Amino acid sequence: MKKVEAIIKPFKLDDVRESLAEIGITGMTVSEVKGFGRQKGHTELYRGAEYMVDFLPKVKIELVIQDEQLEQALEVIVDTAKTGKIGDGKIFVTEVERVIRIRTGEENEEAV
């Protein structure tokens, strides 16, 4: 099993969620996060004063999926979240050793 963490632009969330559902991936955790990479934030004007906004709003999607679903899920996320502009985000993939469904006690593939 793999854990996929995708950091994307907030306005792309619904499109990514719908695209993942079309390939059978419906369970996910979504968090509102802030961060920056190469964008390094931007300058805004508020009541006549200029100030630096270091952290930009992003959305983090977390999925735990079967190994066989990985490449298709990554392709869907990249194709759907990509705008071609700086700040589109990143995807991190890690190995998952164990999963337990609290309600039933099911483990690993049965719990996902």
Side-chain angles (χ1 to χ4, degrees):
M1 290 177 293
K2 302 286 191 238
K3 180 177 184 182
V4 176
E5 294 178 79
I7 312 294
I8 64 171
K9 292 183 175 185
F11 69 90
K12 287 293 194 172
L13 175 61
D14 286 336
D15 294 339
V16 170
R17 183 185 52 80
E18 288 170 12
S19 296
L20 287 169
E22 287 174 11
I23 63 166
I25 299 173
T26 55
M28 65 184 67
T29 300
V30 176
S31 307
E32 292 181 11
V33 296
K34 292 182 180 190
F36 70 92
R38 290 187 189 155
Q39 278 179 291
K40 297 184 177 70
H42 63 278
T43 305
E44 287 190 3
L45 208 57
Y46 180 72
R47 294 188 178 187
E50 194 174 276
Y51 66 100
M52 186 68 181
V53 178
D54 291 329
F55 296 100
L56 301 170
K58 302 286 182 180
V59 172
K60 180 163 96 171
I61 301 170
E62 297 174 87
L63 318 166
V64 175
I65 57 177
Q66 306 296 331
D67 290 344
E68 308 82 55
Q69 297 175 298
L70 180 63
E71 289 308 315
Q72 190 178 17
L74 295 176
E75 186 177 312
V76 163
I77 294 168
V78 169
D79 290 346
T80 309
K82 183 177 185 176
T83 66
K85 296 186 172 78
I86 194 166
D88 276 350
K90 294 221 174 19
I91 301 174
F92 305 94
V93 179
T94 55
E95 189 70 35
V96 174
E97 292 182 25
R98 189 172 178 194
V99 177
I100 301 170
R101 184 181 312 236
I102 295 173
R103 179 177 55 88
T104 62
E106 293 171 301
E107 293 198 29
N108 300 323
E109 284 80 16
E110 293 81 32
V112 177

